[in-house]
Amino acid sequence: MPKNFYDKIPTHVAIIMDGNGRWASKKGLPRVKGHEAGIDAAKKVINIAGELGIKYLTLFAFSIENWGRPQDEVSYLFSLFDKAISLYSDELIEKGVRVKFMGALSLLPENIQQGIAALSSETANNDKLTLVIALSYGSRQEIVDATKAIALEVSQGQISIDDITIDTFRQHLYLPELPDPDLIIRTSGEKRFSNFLLFQSAYSELYFTPVLWPDFDENEFDKALLDYSNRKRKFGKL
Ligand code: IPE
Ligand code: IPE
Ligand code: MG
C-alpha cells in the first residue's frame, strides 16, 4: 500500500501514459521496448487503484492520431495489446475489475475487437474498480459523434432543440455513465491534452510529471494522489 494517507481520494483518475518511446531511446532500445515496459507500469497502477478504492481509472492507451505513426509501431502495439488481454484477463476478472473500452473501436483489427468485446462482457458485472481503456480514442471525434446522434434525434422528432442540455450531451458520449475525471495525470513532461476528454475535463485537477510512463510506479502515483488531496476544488464558487 502507498505510504501516505490521503485526505481525499479521487473517484475517477485518468492518465495520459506518455513517454514510452523516449524511455526506450534513453536506454538505447527500440521504441517498442518502451511500450512493453509501459504495459507493466499500467498493470501496477491498476492494482494500486483497486487497493486504494479508486472507483474509475481511465488509461489513454492509443489516440486516434496515433494511427498516423509508422505501420511497424502500430502493428507492434496491437500485438502487445492482444497479448496483454490474454495474459491479464483472468487476473482482472478475479480482482473484480470491470473493463470498458472507449474510442473509434471499429477501426481496430478484428482480433482486438473480439478480445475487447469478450473482456468487456466477462467483466460487466464486476464493481470494485471500473477500468476504462481509451483506444483509438479522440475527444473531438467523440464530441462530433455525440452532436450527430443528437441532430439525428432532433431531425426524427424524438427530441426538440430545447431538450438539448449538458446532461443530454453527456448521455451521447461514448461512456455516458462515466463520471468526469477528478484528476488527470500526464507523464513525460508534456503539458497538453492531446485530444483526451476535452468535454469531461472542464473541472478536473491536472497533474504533470516529467517521469516517463514506464518509470511511473507506486511512489509516483502516491505523489500525484497526495498533491490532489491538497487541492481546493472550487467549481467557480467561493
Ligand atoms: C505513449 O508513449 C504511448 C502511446 C502514445 C501509444 P509515446 O510512444 O508517445 O512515447 P514518446 O512520447 O514518443 O516518448
Ligand atoms: C497521447 O500521447 C496519447 C497517448 C498517451 C496514448 P502522444 O505521444 O500521442 O501525444 P503528442 O503527440 O505528444 O501530443
Ligand atoms: Mg508521446
Side-chain angles (χ1 to χ4, degrees):
M1 285 291 279
K3 53 186 181 304
N4 282 307
F5 175 76
Y6 314 105
D7 288 340
K8 56 176 192 280
I9 283 276
T11 302
H12 180 185
V13 178
I15 309 183
I16 304 173
M17 310 183 290
D18 197 14
N20 293 350
R22 277 165 282 171
W23 182 89
S25 301
K26 268 175 58 182
K27 292 185 152 28
L29 298 169
R31 288 179 54 82
V32 292
K33 288 286 165 198
H35 296 314
E36 256 175 53
I39 295 212
D40 294 337
K43 210 182 150 214
K44 263 186 232 160
V45 165
I46 296 165
N47 286 335
I48 301 166
E51 285 167 18
L52 287 175
I54 290 168
K55 294 308 285 179
Y56 298 87
L57 175 68
T58 297
L59 299 179
F60 199 7
F62 190 80
S63 76
I64 198 141
E65 287 80 17
N66 289 150
W67 286 111
R69 293 192 179 192
Q71 179 61 42
D72 289 4
E73 178 163 340
V74 173
S75 312
Y76 195 88
L77 268 170
F78 283 108
S79 69
L80 276 181
F81 289 142
D82 194 34
K83 228 195 291 174
I85 290 175
S86 21
L87 268 178
Y88 302 130
S89 278
D90 288 348
E91 196 176 325
L92 291 167
I93 295 166
E94 189 194 312
K95 291 202 163 136
V97 180
R98 176 168 61 160
V99 190
K100 289 177 177 268
F101 293 84
M102 70 170 174
L105 303 179
S106 63
L107 302 179
L108 297 170
E110 193 56 41
N111 65 321
I112 301 287
Q113 287 194 43
Q114 284 168 7
I116 68 179
L119 186 56
S120 309
S121 71
E122 281 162 12
T123 62
N125 296 323
N126 289 348
D127 61 2
K128 189 156 183 272
L129 164 71
T130 297
L131 169 65
V132 177
I133 313 274
L135 205 53
S136 185
Y137 175 81
S139 181
R140 285 178 166 174
Q141 289 76 2
E142 179 183 35
I143 289 168
V144 170
D145 285 349
T147 308
K148 280 184 180 165
I150 294 168
L152 186 68
E153 287 174 22
V154 172
S155 71
Q156 292 177 339
Q158 287 161 273
I159 60 168
S160 77
I161 287 183
D162 291 338
D163 293 331
I164 305 173
T165 61
I166 290 173
D167 277 340
T168 322
F169 200 85
R170 196 183 280 287
Q171 279 154 28
H172 291 80
L173 295 173
Y174 294 147
L175 296 177
E177 69 288 359
L178 185 67
D180 288 343
D182 299 292
L183 171 65
I184 299 182
I185 298 172
R186 181 166 188 153
T187 57
S188 90
E190 309 300 343
K191 296 188 181 73
R192 53 177 171 262
F193 282 116
S194 301
N195 205 7
F196 187 52
L197 302 179
L198 303 178
F199 179 88
Q200 298 89 331
S201 60
Y203 270 103
S204 301
E205 296 295 326
L206 308 178
Y207 180 86
F208 298 104
T209 169
V211 170
L212 302 172
W213 176 249
D215 291 328
F216 192 87
D217 56 10
E218 182 160 345
N219 194 33
E220 295 301 329
F221 200 11
D222 185 46
K223 281 194 224 165
L225 292 170
L226 190 62
D227 192 294
Y228 172 84
S229 91
N230 292 318
R231 305 271 180 105
K232 181 167 170 19
R233 304 187 75 187
K234 295 169 69 182
F235 301 96
K237 308 190 177 76
L238 290 182

